[in-house]
């Protein structure tokens, strides 16, 4: 009887008491991040929509090209596109349509903006994804190699090469790659996106590399810096003293703890990839969202411009929010708010 009373009076383990509190904190943090994401997208939508009033030029003149701009024609066009309504009403109609996947009608293509974008999206997605794979593989490989060879001639050579790549603009890299691999060697095409999935991937090799070059250098330098910092930590020395193999030390104790800065900079690079893709698409003659954005700005096709800019902003904010949410999962120290020791 005494033993049962003693067992009943035994307090729960400290870890069991902390678990619900940590789960509640994690849910609160996730809710805050998602709320910040939604608020940022809302503010961005307001800025994107109302910025068209700051742009010189009138879309009515573009719509009436080749015709006499008499008052009746102007009134008809403004009524069709809802340009005669108050700005707040225009915004409400636009944002409610966007939530349902309707971005309006393109002024230059005279069809739904969603259809126009979906026709160009595969090329841009393929370009950005392939460039992202190159950045992840080559950037991480260069950074890991430089950190393992730190202080040597090879380390200095890798760092110098990455510094040089970081200074090369995308259009310059595109010109050099076309001159060498397309014109001189004839290994890859220099124009168009091909026909079919396999042919599209083949045509996107050079554009993806041109887009990825400077970002490979950024990821490589961040990876090297983060890993060199971890090599000097006490927990790495303890792991070595316990006889853990060098490969396990690098993977479990160095690279894993260095993923925080790498993930953070990777999320920030997304916006650069999406923006730079417009330059690369122009250089290689690709029919993607970037070239569509350039032509739409030139022709004052505001519905297309607003849709593409809002999609890019939403993708950028969403990926950075995802990185913030994944950070504590990958590195538990971030959840506890503690630094490495």
């Amino acid at each position: 009887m005494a033993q049962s009373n003693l067992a009943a009076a035994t307090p729960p383990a400290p870890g069991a008491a902390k678990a619900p509190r940590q789960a509640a904190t994690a849910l609160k943090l996730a809710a805050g991040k998602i709320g910040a994401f939604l608020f940022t997208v809302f503010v961005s939508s307001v800025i994107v929509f109302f910025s068209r009033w700051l742009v010189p030029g009138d879309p009515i003149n573009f719509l009436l090209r080749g015709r006499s701009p008499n008052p009746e024609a102007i009134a008809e066009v403004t009524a069709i596109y809802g340009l005669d309504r108050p700005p707040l009403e225009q915004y409400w109609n636009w944002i409610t349509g966007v939530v349902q996947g309707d971005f309006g009608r393109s002024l230059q293509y005279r069809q739904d903006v969603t259809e126009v974008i979906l026709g160009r999206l595969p090329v841009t997605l393929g370009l950005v994804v392939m460039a992202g794979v190159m950045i992840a593989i080559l950037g991480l490989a260069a950074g890991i190699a430089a950190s393992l060879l730190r202080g040597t001639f090879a380390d200095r050579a890798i760092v110098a090469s990455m510094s040089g790549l970081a200074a090369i603009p995308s259009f310059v890299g595109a010109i050099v790659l076309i001159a060498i691999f397309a014109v001189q060697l004839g290994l890859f095409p220099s124009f168009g996106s091909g026909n079919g999935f396999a042919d599209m991937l083949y045509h996107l090799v050079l554009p993806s590399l041109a887009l990825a070059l400077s970002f490979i250098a950024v990821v490589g330098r961040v990876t090297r810096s983060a890993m060199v910092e971890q090599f000097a930590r006490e927990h790495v020395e303890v792991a070595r003293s316990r006889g853990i193999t060098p490969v396990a030390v690098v993977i479990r104790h160095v690279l894993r703890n260095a993923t925080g800065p790498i993930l953070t900079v990777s999320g920030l690079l997304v916006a650069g990839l999406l923006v730079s893709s417009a330059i690369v698409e122009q250089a290689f003659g690709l029919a993607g969202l970037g070239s569509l954005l350039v032509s739409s700005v030139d022709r004052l096709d505001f519905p297309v411009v607003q849709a593409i800019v809002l999609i890019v902003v939403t993708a950028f904010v969403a990926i950075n929010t995802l990185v913030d949410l994944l950070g504590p999962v990958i590195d538990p120290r971030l959840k506890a708010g503690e630094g490495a020791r």
Side-chain angles (χ1 to χ4, degrees), residues 264-313:
T264 301
V265 75
S266 298
L268 295 175
L269 291 180
V270 172
L273 280 176
L274 294 172
V275 172
S276 300
S277 65
I279 302 173
V280 174
E281 287 175 7
Q282 290 288 101
F284 286 91
L286 300 176
L289 292 183
S291 58
L292 176 63
L293 177 62
V294 173
S295 65
S296 299
V297 170
D298 182 57
R299 299 179 183 182
L300 299 179
D301 195 349
F302 292 124
V304 175
V305 174
Q306 290 168 344
I308 294 177
V309 172
L310 185 61
I311 289 172
V312 170
V313 171

Side-chain angles (χ1 to χ4, degrees), residues 122-131 134 188-189 192-194 197-211 280-281 284 286-287:
V123 173
T124 300
L125 275 181
L127 176 65
V128 172
V129 170
M130 189 177 293
M134 291 180 179
F188 297 99
S193 55
F197 181 72
D199 195 30
M200 183 183 73
L201 294 181
Y202 175 59
H203 277 73
L204 290 180
V205 171
L206 284 187
S208 300
L209 185 57
L211 179 60
V280 174
E281 287 175 7
F284 286 91
L286 300 176

Side-chain angles (χ1 to χ4, degrees), residues 60-143:
I60 300 299
N61 296 330
F62 174 77
L63 288 168
L64 295 174
R65 63 191 185 281
R67 290 186 290 171
S68 176
N70 56 71
E72 291 79 9
I74 294 177
E76 180 183 358
V77 171
T78 53
I80 291 175
Y81 286 90
L83 301 177
D84 57 339
R85 299 171 184 171
L88 288 178
E89 183 179 349
Q90 291 185 43
Y91 171 76
W92 175 253
N93 293 334
W94 176 73
I95 195 63
T96 52
V98 167
V99 173
Q100 302 173 29
D102 180 12
F103 290 93
R105 289 186 63 81
S106 168
L107 304 183
Q108 60 175 319
Y109 295 100
R110 307 298 175 88
Q111 62 183 112
D112 290 342
V113 173
T114 304
E115 296 178 3
V116 176
I117 289 177
L118 288 178
R120 303 290 192 101
L121 188 60
V123 173
T124 300
L125 275 181
L127 176 65
V128 172
V129 170
M130 189 177 293
V133 172
M134 291 180 179
I135 293 170
I137 295 175
L138 299 179
L140 286 175

